[in-house]
Amino acid sequence: RLYLRREAYFSILMDRAHAGPILVGSPSGGMAIEDVAAATPELIFTERIDIQEGLTDEAVTRLTKNMGFEGQAAEECEDTIKKLYKLFLESDATLVEINPLSETPDGHVFVCDCKLNFDDNAEWRQAEVFTRRDRAQEDPREVEAAQYDLNYIGLDGSIGCLVNGAGLAMATMDIIKLNGGSPANFLDVGGGATKEQVQKAFEILNGDDKVKAIL
């Protein structure tokens, strides 16, 4: 059994606003990071990474300090962050989340729980990773859509969207929200959609009990 002195939080994810990876850390781990952000936002620290420059020692040291690691634990934490960033790049990950990243009473650092997400577009390059994919853990509608090369993401609204083009799909969802509605999905059939793809798209939308109208 491993006894832990304290638990921190660490993740690497893609930040659209920054158009690159971002490190997120907090001295408060072992709980939902959303709860930490809501209750104590001052305990959430970030370090944006220039994808051309790469991960710098200064950024790693700064985040490690903000996460509360000192001495030997700080050295191990910095080493762990660098290795996780290497994993993030080499595996085409979109998320590496460690919660908790824990420290033992004698100053050692352990990754106690980890969540990984990968870029679907890199499946051809990450064949070994994707052989471990468990589609039973995914939304069955999204699994079915992927079999027909449809870009589908299920949402919680009541207005189904079937659109040609990702940009137009996003704009359509915005228009629905601006007019007081709520989209039931994101669905881009693509520019070269076949009759079979369009039919399947309608079948998926019609199979959603929450959908009351289709735009």
Side-chain angles (χ1 to χ4, degrees):
R1 182 175 180 181
L2 188 64
Y3 291 93
L4 306 175
R5 186 174 76 84
R6 66 182 195 90
E7 298 177 329
Y9 172 91
F10 173 77
S11 67
I12 312 171
L13 62 154
M14 295 301 296
D15 178 31
R16 288 183 178 274
H18 170 57
I22 185 171
L23 307 183
V24 180
S26 174
S28 295
M31 64 187 79
I33 194 62
E34 294 82 4
D35 294 340
V36 176
T40 53
E42 69 276 7
L43 295 182
I44 303 293
F45 300 92
T46 60
E47 292 287 343
R48 293 179 174 179
I49 302 172
D50 184 326
I51 197 67
Q52 300 297 327
E53 182 182 6
L55 182 62
T56 65
D57 291 339
E58 291 78 12
V60 174
T61 299
R62 204 161 40 235
L63 187 62
T64 295
K65 182 179 180 180
N66 286 332
M67 292 166 63
F69 291 100
E70 299 177 344
Q72 175 180 311
E75 294 180 11
E76 293 191 13
C77 180
E78 291 183 16
D79 182 61
T80 298
I81 289 175
K82 291 175 182 178
K83 289 177 178 176
L84 289 172
Y85 184 69
K86 183 173 184 289
L87 167 69
F88 180 83
L89 293 181
E90 293 181 352
S91 64
D92 289 295
T94 55
L95 171 70
V96 174
E97 183 179 51
I98 312 300
N99 191 19
L101 181 63
S102 301
E103 181 181 350
T104 62
D106 56 353
H108 292 294
V109 174
F110 288 87
V111 172
C112 294
D113 196 5
C114 179
K115 177 180 179 180
L116 297 169
N117 288 346
F118 302 95
D119 186 351
D120 287 337
N121 294 315
E123 183 172 358
W124 62 274
R125 188 163 53 203
Q126 303 293 341
E128 183 178 355
V129 169
F130 278 84
T131 58
R132 302 174 183 272
R133 186 171 190 167
D134 182 4
R135 295 194 181 275
Q137 301 295 319
E138 302 179 33
D139 186 327
R141 299 170 300 175
E142 296 180 9
V143 173
E144 185 178 14
Q147 293 173 352
Y148 287 82
D149 291 326
L150 299 171
N151 295 315
Y152 174 92
I153 299 174
L155 301 173
D156 296 325
S158 61
I159 301 176
C161 303
L162 196 163
V163 189
N164 186 338
L168 184 57
M170 295 296 291
T172 301
M173 294 166 64
D174 288 342
I175 290 172
I176 291 173
K177 293 291 290 185
L178 286 171
N179 286 276
S182 182
N185 63 275
F186 169 92
L187 176 52
D188 169 24
V189 299
T194 64
K195 178 179 67 176
E196 290 76 16
Q197 286 177 305
V198 174
Q199 177 180 334
K200 178 53 65 174
F202 273 112
E203 289 176 357
I204 292 173
L205 295 183
N206 284 325
D208 187 344
D209 293 335
K210 295 194 300 293
V211 172
K212 305 304 180 185
I214 296 176
L215 181 60

